[in-house]
């Protein structure tokens, strides 16, 4: 950036350990927060129609950022590949649905936070094989979770209250007198609600990964045997990564159905979605929380923007544009793996480094 | 005489005993789908052996080759010419993958290469839908002279139906496997392929071109994919949903071992037959549809007790 940290001295360990040690970074974050909190809910995105910008872009991006952070904890920080993300989100969503049926009067925020724990338990259970196997073998184990859970969502009718359509439909709920779920909720309220979850979960994740727990995850990722030798317990570390990751996925799944979609069937949690979330994590950058933001935003908005651009500028059929953007995303993934395996987050850091010494080369 | 133990442990076997013709039919169905799983798994094994890459795109290569064949025929190209052109397309694909992806990713960690093949999957899905359209197509079975009738066998008053397509699929798969085995053991290129599978650096030092070998393995995997695409397409349809079914090659690999060709075949048959039997005889206890996850759960159990698979050479890393 066009700033340097010169002259900002730290006089205590506490100052030294703070999340954003550079003053300009703190200002930057505050500006982003202000835009997200005070500009976007009222004016949407520049150049796009308000409801479209909120419902098709901002709300899903915020929700998927939570998913991406969760998956990144597992894949990027702990090095365990998972293709079961979609199903774990589904667990969160169905758990939330059941909880609202049994406790209709409890505040929906508490229910969503609680449904994450159900997902965390299921995730930790399917994480058990990771203690014996790793790498591609683990992919098979998580795929088992994905397909088994998908089957449960169809066959176990109790999960969707014996609804003949097989879908879960979200009841209307209020928080502080504002409708937040169901068809009647305003886009701005729903957006602010998911944003609140995102901010809370980001702060927790950021502190987890830079603390003792997160260092354990990264040690297991980098070299499990060495980690075990110096006293990191693989059982506890791996299962905690699975649990925390699935918690995030569960919460985002509950938010996805309750705040964004309003109703959901098993298709919303299928294996293709699991791939999508994995793309977000790879693209944004493995092992980076900022990267999860960038990856989720990019992978979600890129096809939408391509479609819009194709329609407005060249009058191309949206279906063709959809396929073109699939090819483009695939090509970009290969390209970014060749050029910069650490994703957008690393690119961003490089840009910052370059700008820091600009206009000089070294 | 009822209860859960009877339902799980006795009743299914009783049913098998009472209707042996139906049982044979189920076994046969499982056998054929097992062969198709084995074919897809074979493509994985070829590439994994030669380059250590876990090629996630194998499933979509099956779809893509099938689509190319059908698409070319729809343009008016005669069936067998289309077949040859499709082989050419698979070669070009192998060449491009080597040139644009693998060559640039040499010495990267396995997981990066794996993710690159996921990217490749996306390109092939998007490209395939873009060029050929996303709708389901039927395979040009008659034009390729694949028989379509069926024979009936009546063992002791029962009826077992054998579709000719299935018999053809089994025969073609067997021929392909024998052909590959001969290619690996008798030809110079085959020997080079095995050398590369054993040790990259040693084979480089005796003058084997890794790049060339990679193109050849990917092409071989492409041919296997094409055969799988034709057979699968002839049994059902050519559609992109096949790609999800192709993921079942993963449990097959876990069972058979990632580096073993016979393992892929035996694993495929075990999964295929086991899945059908479980679906038919035990499925009703769970409320059908168990086919979707049975293979994965079997693989999961297997992973816990014999992680290297039935025929695996290398013991996988444990923690």
């Amino acid at each position: 950036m066009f700033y340097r940290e010169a002259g900002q001295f730290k006089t205590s360990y506490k100052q030294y350990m703070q999340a954003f040690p550079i003053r300009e970074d703190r200002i930057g974050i505050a500006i982003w927060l202000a835009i997200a909190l005070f500009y976007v809910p009222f004016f949407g995105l520049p150049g796009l129609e308000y409801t479209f910008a909120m419902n098709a872009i901002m709300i899903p991006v915020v929700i998927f950022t939570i998913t991406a952070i969760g998956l990144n904890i597992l894949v990027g920080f702990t090095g365990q590949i998972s293709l079961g993300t979609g199903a774990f989100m589904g667990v969160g969503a169905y758990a939330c649905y059941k909880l609202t049926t049994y406790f209709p009067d409890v505040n929906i925020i508490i229910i969503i936070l609680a449904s994450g724990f159900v997902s965390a338990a299921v995730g930790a259970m399917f994480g058990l094989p990771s203690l014996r196997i790793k790498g591609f073998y683990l992919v098979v184990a998580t795929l088992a979770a994905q397909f088994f859970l998908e089957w449960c969502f169809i066959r176990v009718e109790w999960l969707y209250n014996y609804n003949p359509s097989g879908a879960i439909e979200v009841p209307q709920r209020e928080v502080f007198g504002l409708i937040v779920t169901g068809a009647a909720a305003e886009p701005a309220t729903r957006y602010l609600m998911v944003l609140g979850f995102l901010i809370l979960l980001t702060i927790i994740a950021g502190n987890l990964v830079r603390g003792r727990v997160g260092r354990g995850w990264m040690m297991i990722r980098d070299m499990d045997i060495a980690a075990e030798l110096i006293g990191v317990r693989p059982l506890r570390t791996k299962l905690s990564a699975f649990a925390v990751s699935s918690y995030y996925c569960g919460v985002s799944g509950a938010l996805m159905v309750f705040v964004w979609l309003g109703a959901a069937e098993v298709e919303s949690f299928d294996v293709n979605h699991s791939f999508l979330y994995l793309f977000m994590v790879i693209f944004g950058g493995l092992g980076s929380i900022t990267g999860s933001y960038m990856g989720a935003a990019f992978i979600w908005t890129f096809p939408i923007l391509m479609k819009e651009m194709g329609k407005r500028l060249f009058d191309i059929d949206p279906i063709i544009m959809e396929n073109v953007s699939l090819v483009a995303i695939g090509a970009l993934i290969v390209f970014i793996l060749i050029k910069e395996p650490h994703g957008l987050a690393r690119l961003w850091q490089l840009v910052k480094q370059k700008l820091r010494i600009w206009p000089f080369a070294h | 005489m009822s209860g859960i133990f009877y339902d799980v442990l006795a009743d299914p076997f009783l049913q098998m005993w009472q209707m042996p013709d139906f049982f044979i039919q189920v076994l046969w169905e499982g056998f054929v789908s097992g062969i198709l799983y084995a074919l897809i798994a074979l493509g994985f094994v070829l590439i994994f052996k030669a380059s250590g890459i876990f090629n996630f795109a194998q499933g979509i290569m099956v779809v893509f080759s099938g689509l190319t064949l059908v698409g070319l025929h729809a343009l008016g190209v005669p069936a067998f010419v289309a077949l040859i052109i499709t082989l050419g397309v698979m070669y070009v694909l192998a060449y491009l993958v080597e040139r644009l992806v693998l060559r640039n990713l040499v010495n990267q960690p396995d997981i990066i290469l794996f993710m690159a093949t996921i990217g490749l999957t996306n390109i092939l899905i998007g490209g395939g839908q873009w060029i050929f359209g996303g709708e389901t197509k039927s395979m040009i079975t008659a034009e390729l002279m694949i028989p379509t009738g069926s024979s009936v066998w009546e063992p002791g008053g029962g009826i077992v139906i054998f579709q000719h397509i299935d018999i053809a699929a089994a025969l073609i798969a067997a021929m392909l496997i024998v052909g590959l085995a001969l290619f690996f053991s008798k030809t110079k290129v085959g020997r080079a392929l095995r050398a590369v599978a054993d040790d990259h650096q040693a084979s480089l030092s005796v003058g084997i071109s890794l790049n060339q070998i990679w193109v050849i393995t990917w092409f071989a995997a492409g041919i296997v994919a094409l055969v799988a695409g034709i057979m699968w397409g002839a049994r059902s349809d050519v559609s992109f949903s096949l790609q999800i079914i192709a993921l079942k090659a993963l449990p097959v690999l876990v069972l058979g071992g990632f580096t073993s060709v016979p393992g892929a075949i035996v694993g495929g048959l075990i999964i295929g037959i086991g899945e059908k039997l479980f679906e038919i005889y035990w499925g009703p206890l769970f409320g059908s549809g168990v086919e979707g996850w049975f293979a994965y759960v079997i693989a999961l159990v297997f992973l816990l007790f014999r992680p290297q698979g039935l025929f695996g050479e290398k013991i996988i890393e444990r923690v």
Side-chain angles (χ1 to χ4, degrees):
Chain A
M1 288 291 109
F2 296 104
Y3 54 82
R4 288 154 186 76
E5 59 270 39
Q8 297 181 31
F9 300 112
K10 307 291 175 216
T11 48
S12 69
Y13 284 115
K14 207 178 160 204
Q15 282 180 341
Y16 208 76
M17 288 304 294
Q18 73 190 127
F20 299 102
I22 302 168
R23 193 197 311 121
E24 284 82 356
D25 278 353
R26 288 197 292 275
I27 296 170
I29 291 290
I31 292 171
W32 277 114
L33 261 181
I35 292 173
L37 280 172
F38 301 116
Y39 177 79
V40 176
F42 304 109
F43 306 103
L45 296 170
L48 289 168
E49 194 238 328
Y50 176 73
T51 6
F52 176 77
M54 294 310 271
N55 284 336
I57 296 184
M58 282 320 287
I59 296 174
V61 162
V62 169
I63 293 171
F64 291 142
T65 307
I66 301 177
T67 320
I69 292 175
L71 188 58
N72 217 336
I73 285 175
L74 193 60
V75 182
F77 286 101
T78 324
Q80 318 285 316
I81 318 171
S82 165
L83 281 178
T85 326
F88 294 139
M89 285 175 78
V91 173
Y94 281 90
C96 192
Y97 182 64
K98 286 314 283 186
L99 286 173
T100 46
T101 344
Y102 285 120
F103 307 102
D105 299 326
V106 177
N107 191 322
I108 187 74
I109 292 178
I110 295 170
I111 287 189
I112 289 177
L113 286 174
S115 56
F117 287 106
V118 178
S119 179
V122 174
M125 202 178 76
F126 280 102
L128 279 174
S130 73
L131 302 172
R132 277 186 68 116
I133 52 177
K134 49 188 200 180
F136 303 129
Y137 293 82
L138 192 62
V139 172
V140 180
T142 54
L143 270 178
Q146 170 74 42
F147 287 106
F148 180 71
L149 289 171
E150 256 184 58
W151 176 83
C152 288
F153 298 151
I154 300 174
R155 294 291 158 189
V156 185
E157 291 175 1
W158 175 78
L159 283 175
Y160 45 87
N161 288 353
Y162 307 95
N163 186 345
S165 69
I168 45 177
E169 277 146 28
V170 172
Q172 187 168 314
R173 288 285 182 276
E174 294 178 6
V175 175
F176 309 126
L178 288 165
I179 304 168
V180 289
T181 66
E186 291 288 323
T189 351
R190 295 191 284 150
Y191 167 76
L192 285 173
M193 164 129 164
V194 287
L195 190 67
F197 274 97
L198 175 63
I199 293 171
L200 174 75
L201 290 173
T202 308
I203 293 171
I204 295 174
N207 283 309
L208 274 180
V209 296
R210 70 198 186 110
R212 185 192 166 91
V213 185
R215 279 201 295 272
W217 291 339
M218 286 184 264
M219 279 149 91
I220 287 285
R221 170 194 67 189
D222 292 337
M223 199 172 181
D224 39 21
I225 295 170
E228 198 176 359
L229 276 176
I230 52 175
V232 177
R233 273 184 267 178
L235 174 90
R236 189 184 276 186
T237 318
K238 283 187 173 176
L239 287 192
S240 70
F242 266 96
V244 173
S245 164
S246 307
Y247 182 85
Y248 276 66
C249 295
V251 168
S252 67
L255 286 173
M256 177 169 102
V257 174
F258 272 67
V259 186
W260 181 40
L261 294 174
E265 285 181 53
V266 69
E267 282 79 25
S268 316
F269 312 112
D270 65 5
V271 70
N272 287 326
H273 284 83
S274 299
F275 286 127
L276 189 75
Y277 308 133
L278 195 61
F279 279 166
M280 290 174 183
V281 172
I282 302 173
F283 213 82
L286 291 168
S288 159
I289 297 219
T290 332
S292 308
Y293 276 75
M294 296 186 196
F298 185 87
I299 295 284
W300 184 254
T301 50
F302 182 74
I304 296 176
L305 293 183
M306 286 276 277
K307 240 187 271 183
E308 280 292 300
M309 293 251 290
K311 205 165 59 186
R312 285 192 197 174
L313 300 179
F314 309 107
D315 199 29
I316 305 174
D317 187 11
I319 296 170
I320 294 179
M321 280 320 274
E322 205 170 308
N323 293 325
V324 174
S325 57
L326 265 177
V327 176
I329 284 187
L332 273 171
I333 286 202
V334 173
F335 180 77
I336 213 160
L337 285 174
I338 291 169
K339 290 293 168 200
E340 186 49 78
H342 298 282
L344 289 176
R346 184 61 185 274
L347 279 182
W348 171 236
Q349 270 198 335
L350 286 178
V351 169
K352 277 209 310 203
Q353 278 291 324
K354 284 268 192 296
L355 280 175
R356 195 163 159 264
I357 46 175
W358 189 81
F360 304 109
H362 298 289
Chain B
M1 265 298 271
S2 66
I4 186 87
F5 286 107
Y6 175 76
D7 284 345
V8 174
L9 295 176
D11 188 44
F13 296 104
L14 214 63
Q15 282 181 33
M16 287 178 202
W17 179 250
Q18 281 164 349
M19 293 169 71
D21 53 334
F22 183 64
F23 177 59
I24 294 172
Q25 184 80 58
V26 173
L27 277 186
W28 170 248
E29 298 285 327
F31 176 75
V32 178
S33 58
I35 282 179
L36 292 172
Y37 293 149
L39 275 184
I40 297 173
L42 197 61
F44 275 98
V45 169
L46 285 176
I47 289 177
F48 193 81
K49 265 179 92 119
S51 48
I53 297 170
F54 188 85
N55 177 25
F56 203 79
Q58 186 67 31
I60 191 67
M61 272 163 73
V62 172
V63 182
F64 190 78
S65 58
L67 274 180
T68 313
L69 183 61
V70 176
L72 281 171
H73 188 259
L75 288 176
V77 184
F80 282 94
V81 181
L83 193 65
I84 290 165
I85 299 177
T86 310
L87 281 178
V89 170
M90 295 321 278
Y91 182 78
V92 172
L93 182 69
Y95 183 77
L96 288 179
V97 166
E98 196 279 325
R99 196 75 209 215
L100 300 176
V101 183
L102 301 184
R103 190 173 284 194
N104 295 308
L105 286 172
V106 173
N107 272 340
Q108 293 279 6
D110 291 348
I111 179 148
I112 301 278
L113 282 159
F114 167 67
M115 287 170 181
T117 62
I118 296 186
L120 186 66
T121 309
N122 239 27
I123 297 177
L124 286 178
I125 294 178
Q129 284 180 345
W130 188 2
I131 301 167
F132 304 110
E135 68 273 12
T136 327
K137 295 188 177 60
S138 50
M139 179 48 73
I140 42 169
T141 320
E143 289 85 344
L144 287 169
M145 305 215 283
I146 300 169
T148 45
S150 61
S151 309
V152 178
W153 178 45
E154 297 177 8
I159 298 177
V160 185
I161 301 169
F162 293 102
Q163 298 287 335
H164 287 170
I165 289 180
D166 296 349
I167 299 173
L171 287 178
I172 291 173
M175 268 155 56
L176 186 77
I177 289 159
V178 171
L180 277 175
L182 286 177
F183 173 69
F184 270 110
S185 56
K186 300 289 176 199
T187 64
K188 202 176 162 191
V189 179
R191 236 184 354 257
L193 281 171
R194 278 187 298 148
V196 171
D198 266 358
D199 193 324
H200 282 195
Q201 284 185 339
S203 48
L204 267 178
S205 70
V206 293
I208 297 169
S209 157
L210 270 186
N211 295 330
Q212 219 180 345
I213 290 297
W214 282 342
V215 175
I216 293 171
T217 22
W218 277 74
F219 182 44
I223 296 175
V224 176
L226 175 61
V227 173
I230 293 174
M231 295 333 294
W232 207 318
R235 294 193 80 213
S236 48
D237 288 309
V238 185
S239 74
F240 281 89
S241 59
L242 202 68
Q243 191 224 344
I244 302 295
I245 304 170
L247 285 179
K248 279 204 188 127
L250 293 174
V252 169
L253 290 174
V254 168
L255 240 69
F258 275 57
T259 51
S260 160
V261 173
I265 297 157
V266 175
L269 293 181
I270 293 177
I271 294 276
I273 294 174
E275 178 178 276
K276 272 283 182 311
L277 286 178
F278 192 73
E279 168 77 41
I280 301 286
Y281 291 103
W282 282 270
L285 298 176
F286 295 85
S288 64
V290 288
E291 252 181 311
W293 52 264
F294 177 73
Y296 299 96
V297 174
I298 287 287
L300 199 60
V301 174
F302 229 80
L303 277 175
L304 294 177
F305 295 106
R306 197 176 159 82
Q308 74 272 34
L310 287 173
F311 297 87
E313 296 154 13
K314 215 162 50 180
I315 294 185
I316 65 153
E317 292 174 273
R318 295 220 199 131
V319 186

